[in-house]
Amino acid sequence: MSLLFIQGGSRWKFDGEGNIYTDSNFNDNVWKRYRKLDDELVVLLRKEQKIYSKKEASEKFNKFDDSKMKYIATPDLYKPWRNAFNLAIRKEIMDTVDHAVKNSDRVIIRSLGNIYTNTALNSALKYDKPFLVEVTGFSRETLWYHSMRGKIVSIYKELQYKRLIKKADYASYVTKEALQKRYSGPKNKLGCSDVELKIDTSALEKRIHKIKNKDAEKFILGTAAFLDVKWKGQKYVIKAIADLKNKGITGIEYQLIGSGTGKKLIRYAKKLGVENEVKVIGALPHSEVWKWYDSIDVYVQPSFSEGLCRSIVEAMSRACPIICSDVGGNYELIEKDFLFQKAKSSEISKLINLLSNNKEVLLKQAERNFKTAKDFDKEVLDRKRNTFYKEWVSNGK
């Protein structure tokens, strides 16, 4: 029996020696959860054009073990953008997805709303293949804040998403309620984050020691997100730091990790005179991300759209104090007083100033967030998820 997993957001990355990688959204622990469901796992993603050196790829990305799983790489319809108007590329993608669905026994479709996943759903219906949809984010907001082209199609895509999700019998949502309110339909539903956490009981103790012994020399903020998309909102944190600096409040450093170049963010920081306060680290393999969470003082998620933000949950598991935008399912995770309106740098600067000058607040938030993170422990989530997915597999036979 063969299981096809398809997602249209992430890209395959290759090095010069033919090794295959994915970004931080996927790693071998994630793939294991799907390999348990069937004899064979086939993963279909679009392919990034750039060829990396083995050193760079291994330092930035997660290696994909093609001895345990099969992969299918399709052209990228969205990058460069002119591909979107290439009918030959569009047909090749749709034919490849359709063929992959036809030759599978069941399909997991992650994040509807693009040509890859939408085609997979329609093909699954055409060939009467059991399929499960993983709902990870809000279509309209993601497109609206992506680009002008996104704004133009956002309402249509939102309506399309709602129409397609109603055709699914099974859906797994990463939120407890936020996404379910918007995208109802499937009669069989699961609310379960897709984060992969093994709670380290020493993380809180280390964080408390870090906070209590923190000197006043440098206060480090951090965000883990794609660097070259506007809707992740990092520029508003940079603006907040610049505003604080203009008021004489210094010693704040902002570190950014994630895929992309971050060139526009660097230029923006220079324009505001805080280029020395902003440090673009770039992509890190997932094993290094955990060390990075431990190195920062406060985690910031300024996105304009989220489902249930995986990075917030990961930061919580390292007992990070956190501030984030009040979008998507973020309210399910973080206390109201530490949420800010998207794109409101004035609110961000107030929270940064509060946390950088109050160890008691930092300690309280560290303890509160770590306690909440325990609800996302891998064993807890795996039990919920495995029961639901096995039910789907059993009923689809």
Side-chain angles (χ1 to χ4, degrees):
M1 303 290 281
S2 175
L3 168 65
L4 174 66
F5 176 93
I6 181 166
Q7 193 244 20
S10 295
R11 297 176 176 90
W12 295 119
K13 298 147 194 324
F14 291 82
D15 66 25
E17 298 180 18
N19 296 305
I20 313 164
Y21 304 83
T22 59
D23 59 33
S24 60
N25 288 326
F26 300 110
N27 56 55
D28 199 54
N29 286 330
V30 173
W31 298 131
K32 283 179 182 176
R33 109 179 30 148
Y34 299 115
R35 292 203 302 265
K36 292 177 181 178
L37 298 174
D38 256 320
D39 301 322
E40 179 182 71
L41 173 64
V42 181
V43 181
L44 189 153
L45 303 175
R46 51 181 165 158
K47 179 182 179 181
E48 186 172 320
Q49 290 183 326
K50 178 179 177 179
I51 300 297
Y52 293 85
S53 69
K54 186 175 181 180
K55 182 177 184 297
E56 182 182 11
S58 60
E59 288 176 351
K60 290 184 174 182
F61 309 121
N62 296 319
K63 192 172 182 181
F64 180 82
D65 190 347
D66 59 344
S67 69
K68 297 178 181 178
M69 304 161 278
K70 293 183 178 180
Y71 75 94
I72 299 173
T74 73
D76 190 338
L77 188 68
Y78 307 115
K79 192 174 182 180
W81 67 269
R82 63 179 178 272
N83 283 358
F85 303 99
N86 189 315
L87 297 180
I89 290 178
R90 185 177 292 270
K91 184 178 186 305
E92 180 183 349
I93 291 168
M94 295 178 71
D95 288 347
T96 300
V97 172
D98 185 77
H99 182 76
V101 172
K102 183 178 180 180
N103 286 280
S104 67
D105 294 294
R106 55 184 59 87
V107 187
I108 291 178
I109 302 167
R110 183 176 178 85
S111 305
L112 281 171
N114 55 72
I115 188 173
Y116 306 90
T117 51
N118 291 357
T119 300
L121 188 148
N122 287 322
S123 294
L125 291 170
K126 179 171 68 173
Y127 297 118
D128 196 26
K129 303 288 184 178
F131 68 94
L132 179 149
V133 175
E134 294 184 339
V135 186
T136 61
F138 294 91
S139 174
R140 185 180 69 237
E141 289 86 341
T142 300
L143 288 165
W144 183 265
Y145 296 113
H146 184 272
S147 63
M148 183 55 66
R149 294 190 303 276
K151 287 180 172 62
I152 293 170
V153 302
S154 62
I155 300 301
Y156 167 75
K157 288 291 187 179
E158 175 77 3
L159 294 173
Q160 182 187 56
Y161 200 124
K162 290 180 177 180
R163 176 175 58 80
L164 288 173
I165 193 68
K166 291 181 182 297
K167 297 181 179 182
D169 290 327
Y170 283 81
S172 175
Y173 298 77
V174 296
T175 58
K176 293 179 180 177
E177 61 177 27
L179 285 163
Q180 290 89 323
K181 289 178 180 179
R182 176 83 68 86
Y183 304 114
S184 59
K187 60 183 179 182
N188 301 292
K189 302 177 185 178
L190 171 69
C192 181
S193 171
D194 59 354
V195 70
E196 282 280 330
L197 291 181
K198 188 64 179 175
I199 302 296
D200 179 358
T201 55
S202 69
L204 179 59
E205 181 182 342
K206 292 176 182 176
R207 179 66 61 176
I208 290 172
H209 182 269
K210 178 180 174 68
I211 293 172
K212 288 183 176 179
N213 292 278
K214 178 71 176 177
D215 58 37
E217 191 172 310
K218 187 181 290 185
F219 191 76
I220 302 177
L221 312 171
T223 297
F226 291 114
L227 298 173
D228 298 330
V229 293
K230 294 179 181 179
W231 60 273
K232 285 300 183 181
Q234 296 100 323
K235 68 175 292 185
Y236 296 97
V237 183
I238 295 173
K239 177 67 164 57
I241 293 171
D243 291 344
L244 290 171
K245 186 177 181 179
N246 291 335
K247 294 176 182 178
I249 301 171
T250 59
I252 298 170
E253 180 175 288
Y254 184 34
Q255 297 185 4
L256 299 96
I257 69 170
S259 298
T261 66
K263 289 180 180 178
K264 289 184 179 180
L265 295 172
I266 293 170
R267 286 199 296 269
Y268 186 67
K270 287 181 178 178
K271 178 181 176 181
L272 298 183
V274 290
E275 65 269 26
N276 294 326
E277 286 83 3
V278 177
K279 184 177 180 182
V280 175
I281 297 173
L284 293 173
H286 210 246
S287 58
E288 294 298 315
V289 172
W290 300 108
K291 298 176 185 177
W292 177 78
Y293 285 129
D294 291 339
S295 72
I296 64 176
D297 295 301
V298 169
Y299 184 79
V300 187
Q301 192 69 41
S303 306
F304 291 1
S305 176
E306 291 288 349
L308 192 84
C309 181
R310 185 186 302 179
S311 297
I312 290 178
V313 179
E314 290 178 347
M316 292 170 71
S317 77
R318 304 309 301 173
C320 279
I322 296 169
I323 61 174
C324 63
S325 53
D326 58 350
V327 301
N330 287 352
Y331 74 90
E332 296 181 7
L333 300 172
I334 302 300
E335 284 187 331
K336 182 180 179 181
D337 290 344
F338 297 91
L339 299 173
F340 54 82
Q341 292 185 66
K342 62 181 183 290
K344 289 289 185 179
S345 56
S346 59
E347 294 186 15
I348 299 172
S349 62
K350 288 178 182 178
L351 287 171
I352 293 172
N353 194 34
L354 168 66
L355 291 169
S356 63
N357 290 287
N358 196 320
K359 289 187 177 182
E360 289 302 315
V361 175
L362 288 173
L363 288 168
K364 182 178 179 181
Q365 286 306 300
E367 292 173 356
R368 183 264 177 200
N369 290 344
F370 185 74
K371 181 180 179 181
T372 303
K374 291 180 179 179
D375 293 337
F376 296 87
D377 183 77
K378 176 177 171 57
E379 292 185 5
V380 175
L381 296 184
D382 278 354
R383 282 196 295 270
K384 292 175 61 177
R385 189 186 302 110
N386 289 343
T387 299
F388 183 76
Y389 279 52
K390 287 179 179 179
E391 176 190 327
W392 166 63
V393 170
S394 178
N395 288 343
K397 287 181 178 179

